[in-house]
Amino acid sequence: MPTPRRALLLSLGVWAAQLAVTVAFPGAMGNPGWLIFGLMLGRLTGIYHPPAPDESPLSTGRKVLGWLMVVIFVLCFTPSPFR
């Protein structure tokens, strides 16, 4: 995080989003393991990515491949993997 203020605002934003989902969908069940995984991922990889050495635009084939990977992720994602 560049500044402690931005880290606090991001944390409050995540908390507010979770609260909004809980209020909007009271019967929604989740797995707290995903929160721990997200925090670890954010801490280990960082929120801000450094600039890439090659800033050329992606080709159409690479854009299609990227969107295909997003679709596969959404289809494979399990909100609560164990019951």
Side-chain angles (χ1 to χ4, degrees):
M1 281 288 145
T3 64
R5 182 174 184 257
R6 288 186 100 175
L8 179 64
L9 288 174
L10 181 63
S11 300
L12 289 174
V14 169
W15 179 80
Q18 290 176 342
L19 183 64
V21 168
T22 303
V23 169
F25 305 103
M29 297 295 292
N31 185 353
W34 287 113
L35 180 61
I36 294 169
F37 176 72
L39 291 173
M40 284 178 27
L41 187 64
R43 183 65 186 147
L44 294 175
T45 62
I47 300 295
Y48 299 101
H49 195 277
D54 182 18
E55 294 291 334
S56 60
L58 295 176
S59 66
T60 305
R62 293 184 76 180
K63 287 180 184 178
V64 169
L65 184 63
W67 282 109
L68 180 64
M69 295 300 112
V70 170
V71 169
I72 289 172
F73 171 75
V74 168
L75 291 175
C76 295
F77 183 73
T78 305
S80 184
F82 304 106
R83 290 202 181 229

